[in-house]
Amino acid sequence: MSTTHRFLIAFVAAFGLATAGTAGAYHTRFVADNCNTNTPQALSPITRDSAITVALKARYEGYQWGGGCWNDNNVDDSPNDPVGNPNTGGEGGDCSGFTFKVWRESESTSNAGFYEWLKLRKVHGPYTADSFRQGAGAPNTTYSKSGLIKMDALASTGHIGMIYAKNADGTDQIIEAKGEAYGTNIWTRTYRGSSSYSGVRRTGWSG
Amino acid sequence: MRLMDGSSAADVPVELEGVDQPTVLTLVRVVRGAKRKPETASASCLRGRNWGIRAAGPSVERVGVYSESVTFRQEPRQGIFGCDNSPGPREESRRWCSGAYGTLYSGHLRDPRLDIICQATDGSLIGFVWVEPSPGTRFVAVAQPEYTEVYEVAGGLPVRVATTSRVDAETSSAVFDISEHDAAGKLLRSYELRAQVAG
């Protein structure tokens, strides 16, 4: 290989790396093109099964740090978003935004009512996984892990997932927005048996 | 001006370049583990929020005009956590109205861990974030509507700062007007920190 050829390859490689650096400003148009900020409708209390229906609309959709807007086409429309950046405009909720929306909570922490957040309504809510874990907010309370049932949640300082079903072996099927590489889905988890996780309950269900 | 604990704020020891408003120096205490007596803010934060994780090294307690915070580093150094407080209402008369946890990646936060659960006495939201100051920073200044709150860097931990304005419940976000200064008050950088509740 000639010196000139080696130089060209090095130049192209360097340019490619520089371009890849620009890609650090990755941004999709999912939120801009699809999501809205419509005023949510106040609801009468809903059932846990209704919340499961809401949660399943997000299954197979994406994950977005700080996000809360998704469609229902069973595809992550903005895969491989940079992690930890709430401004990339991608599809999906993060773990706490997903929980907030499925539990149909209010943006006001002193309001325990139910609100209809449609799937394309971009909203995260005021709670992090850790604040859910503490039972923060009028609708939320800490709860004994042994007594948790469907649509209660298990939360650590950094993650929260809701119980979709309880397995006979003591594990749970958890519906959760897990991460950019995983999206939102149902997985079998051992959160209930982990000392890092606490039980959380959204109160006020109608059944 | 008085701080949230009723004490009078000390004067900022230097003039801060580029800060035009009156300044208020917030109170800071670095508390070593052995001195975390039960009555300290640090001890009540550890006790009251059932963290399930261990603190390593010193904690940093801060008191501002409408805010109070404690920050700990998690053993073995994979995160930081702490409690936030304000003069407003809170659930069940808890000592702390809220708190935060942030995972460290290569020693740094990926986002400032915005907390908007605490309120002022009039019910308006107070936003808290951790600021990781640039090297050489001694003072972090946060502009409030009528004054600028000044936080001294301490304990080798990110600085938990608060704002009483530009906190938006609808978007779960807040904007902080921040400047960082060296020990002589020289402006090192100023920026608008836009933070989003996440994770």
Side-chain angles (χ1 to χ4, degrees):
Chain A
M1 189 183 290
S2 71
T3 304
T4 305
H5 199 175
R6 283 200 185 101
F7 173 79
L8 279 173
I9 289 172
F11 177 81
V12 169
F15 182 79
L17 284 173
T19 309
T22 307
Y26 173 99
H27 193 281
T28 81
R29 290 198 54 81
F30 181 84
V31 169
D33 291 346
N34 298 282
C35 304
N36 65 70
T37 55
N38 296 341
T39 303
Q41 185 182 344
L43 299 170
S44 299
I46 64 169
T47 64
R48 291 171 185 267
D49 285 336
S50 298
I52 287 177
T53 303
V54 173
L56 289 175
K57 288 187 189 305
R59 192 178 188 190
Y60 308 122
E61 306 301 331
Y63 174 94
Q64 170 66 49
W65 183 251
C69 169
W70 52 83
N71 57 22
D72 188 16
N73 64 356
N74 294 339
V75 172
D76 180 354
D77 288 272
S78 49
N80 305 314
D81 267 342
V83 296
N85 182 347
N87 302 310
T88 55
E91 183 195 27
D94 64 17
C95 60
S96 51
F98 178 51
T99 303
F100 171 87
K101 210 165 169 181
V102 169
W103 280 1
R104 308 221 143 187
E105 299 203 343
S106 167
E107 290 162 327
S108 167
T109 57
S110 59
N111 183 344
F114 287 80
Y115 288 84
E116 185 173 29
W117 301 108
L118 300 178
K119 57 184 185 291
L120 288 173
R121 171 51 151 97
K122 183 183 184 298
V123 66
H124 180 280
Y127 308 110
T128 61
D130 182 61
S131 45
F132 273 121
R133 186 182 66 92
Q134 298 287 345
N140 308 315
T141 186
T142 56
Y143 205 81
S144 162
K145 285 199 282 188
S146 62
L148 297 176
I149 59 174
K150 64 184 175 185
M151 283 294 104
D152 288 334
L154 288 149
S156 69
T157 51
H159 185 59
I160 182 167
M162 290 165 285
I163 296 168
Y164 177 70
K166 195 173 172 180
N167 294 327
D169 64 359
T171 63
D172 294 281
Q173 294 176 54
I174 299 288
I175 186 160
E176 57 190 337
K178 181 59 183 168
E180 193 56 56
Y182 312 94
T184 302
N185 206 338
I186 298 169
W187 288 274
T188 294
R189 302 291 190 197
T190 57
Y191 297 158
R192 196 188 291 255
S194 166
S195 61
S196 298
Y197 281 80
S198 301
V200 190
R201 171 163 287 182
R202 197 267 195 249
T203 59
W205 304 108
S206 61
Chain B
M1 187 170 260
R2 298 225 169 254
L3 301 179
M4 192 179 136
D5 64 357
S7 65
S8 295
D11 293 333
V12 179
V14 294
E15 190 172 327
L16 301 181
E17 180 186 4
V19 175
D20 299 327
Q21 298 190 111
T23 54
V24 179
L25 184 64
T26 59
L27 189 64
V28 60
R29 282 186 291 262
V30 178
V31 181
R32 308 286 163 192
K35 293 183 179 174
R36 271 186 215 127
K37 294 176 181 170
E39 67 274 18
T40 64
S42 296
S44 73
C45 174
L46 288 176
R47 198 171 52 236
R49 285 183 66 87
N50 183 29
W51 288 100
I53 50 180
R54 287 167 55 100
S59 56
V60 175
E61 302 176 354
R62 296 182 181 277
V63 183
V65 178
Y66 294 106
S67 66
E68 180 187 15
S69 71
V70 183
T71 298
F72 299 92
R73 189 178 297 278
Q74 180 188 1
E75 192 175 275
R77 296 183 166 267
Q78 72 255 36
I80 55 173
F81 64 99
C83 295
D84 299 327
N85 200 22
S86 67
R90 79 275 325 280
E91 296 169 60
E92 298 167 352
S93 302
R94 292 174 182 171
R95 166 69 174 84
W96 300 93
C97 47
S98 195
Y101 176 87
T103 303
L104 296 174
Y105 299 89
S106 302
H108 296 281
L109 294 165
R110 276 186 179 148
D111 83 309
R113 309 310 298 138
L114 173 64
D115 173 23
I116 60 168
I117 290 176
C118 293
Q119 300 174 24
T121 47
D122 64 1
S124 60
L125 300 179
I126 295 184
F128 288 82
V129 288
W130 275 302
V131 170
E132 294 189 277
S134 51
T137 299
R138 174 74 176 277
F139 300 104
V140 175
V142 179
Q144 309 289 1
E146 293 174 358
Y147 56 90
T148 293
E149 247 173 328
V150 179
Y151 300 79
E152 199 167 353
V153 175
L157 287 165
V159 181
R160 193 72 169 164
V161 305
T163 186
T164 56
S165 64
R166 302 177 75 185
V167 181
D168 184 8
E170 188 167 321
T171 57
S172 316
S173 65
V175 181
F176 295 75
D177 291 311
I178 294 175
S179 58
E180 297 177 4
H181 305 260
D182 69 11
K186 182 185 170 192
L187 178 65
L188 300 177
R189 64 170 177 156
S190 65
Y191 53 100
E192 197 173 72
L193 173 61
R194 293 177 174 272
Q196 165 80 46
V197 178

